[in-house]
Amino acid sequence: MKPAVFDYHSPVELEEALDLLDEFGYDAKIMSGGQSLIPMMNMRLARPQVLIDINNIAELDYIRVTDTGIQIGGLTRHFQVEESKEIERVCPLLTEGMKLIGHSQIRSRGTIGGSVAHADPTAELPVMLTTLGATITLASSEGVRTLTTDEFFLTYLTTTIEMNEILVSIDIPISPARTGYAIDEFTLRKGDFAIVLAAASVTLSEDGTVEAATLCLGGVDGVPVLLNEVTDELVGKVPDPAYIAECCNQIADLVDPEPDIHATSEYRKDLCITYAKRVLERAAARAVLR
Ligand SMILES: Cc1cc2nc3c(=O)[nH]c(=O)nc-3n(C[C@H](O)[C@H](O)[C@H](O)COP(=O)(O)OP(=O)(O)OC[C@H]3O[C@@H](n4cnc5c(N)ncnc54)[C@H](O)[C@@H]3O)c2cc1C
């Protein structure tokens, strides 16, 4: 199928793009990698009258790593994050998780801003950013605002982005020493969107007990789901597999995923427990090495 007719603009500066959004309002749509938007336009699920292609706005394409955090511009491609040695050094979760996004062709075009703005509940980036305590910065002609993932993701494919805003960057704090990460997912075929995915971070104290831990699931609700009930029980304890398993078994009572053509609610719950255990165990083992 082909998309409905639209007008096309290709600004080279952020300010120009924001002016276009002000001018065209709800008739306009931002296009970055086009990997989700263009298929939706081809299927006529999206019919913007005006397409604002931000691919030429070079100021949105960067990765900056400092002692305190990572900042990634909205137009940065998935593969750039995947291949960044600096990111691998300070935040290996991102490196591991980016490899799970679709196929290399998708990752060569898809962008950080597009993936986060699209807000698919089984996408890897929203789950990783929630695990990492990232913030998301949006710009409009009125100024900028920075949101936590909890404030940003509202429900399935829905965020707080206003029609005059562009996602310009994400910021990720650097975790303390002895922090390990892991992400894993269940897919029907390699490269598919996940049925369920889980990501975890575990920070160990010098005595080997858990100082802090985070566990986030995707594919169980409209937004990434943090399971503090599970990780709170790990704090102060030695994270051996038997204890992690004991803590994760309560997940069956904590999540209530919708059934769909791919999986029943019960099957998804089982996957949640299996993958939660797996990522927490791996994150704890990796924390020892860092
Ligand atoms: C075959 C296939 C498999 C895939 N598998 C996966 C997968 O396993 N995991 C996964 O996470 N994704 C997957 N994707 C989606 C892919 O990651 C997309 O790149 C991503 O969802 C959208 O990014 P994009 O840059 O292509 O955005 P676009 O398609 O250009 O835009 C998507 C939406 O975000 C809006 N938008 C884009 N950029 C901005 C911005 N800077 N500010 C505000 N709004 C913006 C657009 O208006 C649109 O509504 C897959 C896609 C395909 C085609």
Side-chain angles (χ1 to χ4, degrees):
M1 280 189 70
K2 290 188 168 58
V5 173
F6 57 86
D7 285 337
Y8 176 80
H9 295 264
S10 180
V12 293
E13 287 182 0
L14 175 62
E15 206 179 325
E16 205 185 332
L18 295 175
D19 287 345
L20 286 164
L21 279 178
D22 283 343
E23 184 180 345
F24 295 109
Y26 286 109
D27 291 337
K29 210 80 178 104
I30 295 290
M31 184 188 77
S32 44
Q35 299 300 298
S36 297
L37 180 60
I38 297 300
M40 282 166 54
M41 287 172 62
N42 286 345
M43 289 185 278
R44 311 268 172 132
L45 295 171
R47 296 179 72 135
Q49 291 177 26
V50 178
L51 202 61
I52 304 173
D53 177 350
I54 60 171
N55 280 278
N56 292 320
I57 305 182
E59 66 194 285
L60 295 180
D61 180 4
Y62 61 87
I63 295 173
R64 293 178 193 137
V65 179
T66 66
D67 289 345
T68 54
I70 304 167
Q71 188 174 63
I72 305 176
L75 191 60
T76 310
R77 313 274 169 198
H78 299 331
F79 85 93
Q80 291 171 272
V81 176
E82 179 187 351
E83 292 180 1
S84 163
K85 292 292 168 210
E86 283 241 86
I87 286 187
E88 188 175 19
R89 182 175 59 81
V90 295
C91 189
L93 178 69
L94 276 179
T95 312
E96 186 173 34
M98 297 313 285
K99 295 183 199 304
L100 301 176
I101 299 180
H103 311 274
S104 56
Q105 293 89 337
I106 307 298
R107 301 196 294 271
S108 73
R109 289 302 298 167
T111 67
I112 301 301
S115 188
V116 176
H118 191 57
D120 190 302
T122 59
E124 289 79 4
L125 266 164
V127 168
M128 288 193 283
L129 297 186
T130 304
T131 304
L132 293 165
T135 55
I136 296 160
T137 298
L138 308 172
S140 72
S141 56
E142 292 155 25
V144 295
R145 59 185 182 124
T146 297
L147 304 165
T148 61
T149 54
D150 188 38
E151 294 163 335
F152 180 79
F153 295 112
L154 295 183
T155 182
Y156 298 87
L157 307 178
T158 309
T159 72
T160 53
I161 298 183
E162 298 286 345
M163 57 100 184
N164 64 340
E165 288 180 315
I166 292 179
L167 192 161
V168 288
S169 61
I170 57 168
D171 283 86
I172 299 166
I174 302 276
S175 297
R178 293 186 300 274
T179 299
Y181 302 104
I183 180 167
D184 204 350
E185 63 186 27
F186 180 77
T187 57
L188 293 179
R189 295 169 308 186
K190 188 169 165 23
D192 277 2
F193 273 99
I195 305 289
V196 161
L197 72 154
S201 83
V202 174
T203 305
L204 296 180
S205 307
E206 278 181 16
D207 65 4
T209 58
V210 174
E211 191 172 295
T214 309
L215 171 65
C216 184
L217 298 177
V220 292
D221 203 346
V223 295
V225 174
L226 276 176
L227 285 171
N228 296 336
E229 296 89 340
V230 174
T231 45
D232 283 353
E233 292 198 8
L234 291 172
V235 174
K237 304 282 183 0
V238 175
D240 61 72
Y243 186 62
I244 288 175
E246 194 185 316
C247 295
C248 287
N249 285 337
Q250 62 175 309
I251 291 174
D253 300 322
L254 298 174
V255 299
D256 188 18
E258 294 275 331
D260 64 14
I261 54 163
H262 299 301
T264 62
S265 181
E266 287 307 310
Y267 186 55
R268 272 202 157 85
K269 279 188 190 183
D270 278 354
L271 289 174
C272 289
I273 296 170
T274 301
Y275 280 79
K277 286 177 188 170
R278 195 174 287 179
V279 293
L280 280 168
E281 269 183 41
R282 273 186 208 154
R286 289 171 179 174
V288 178
L289 305 172
R290 283 180 71 82

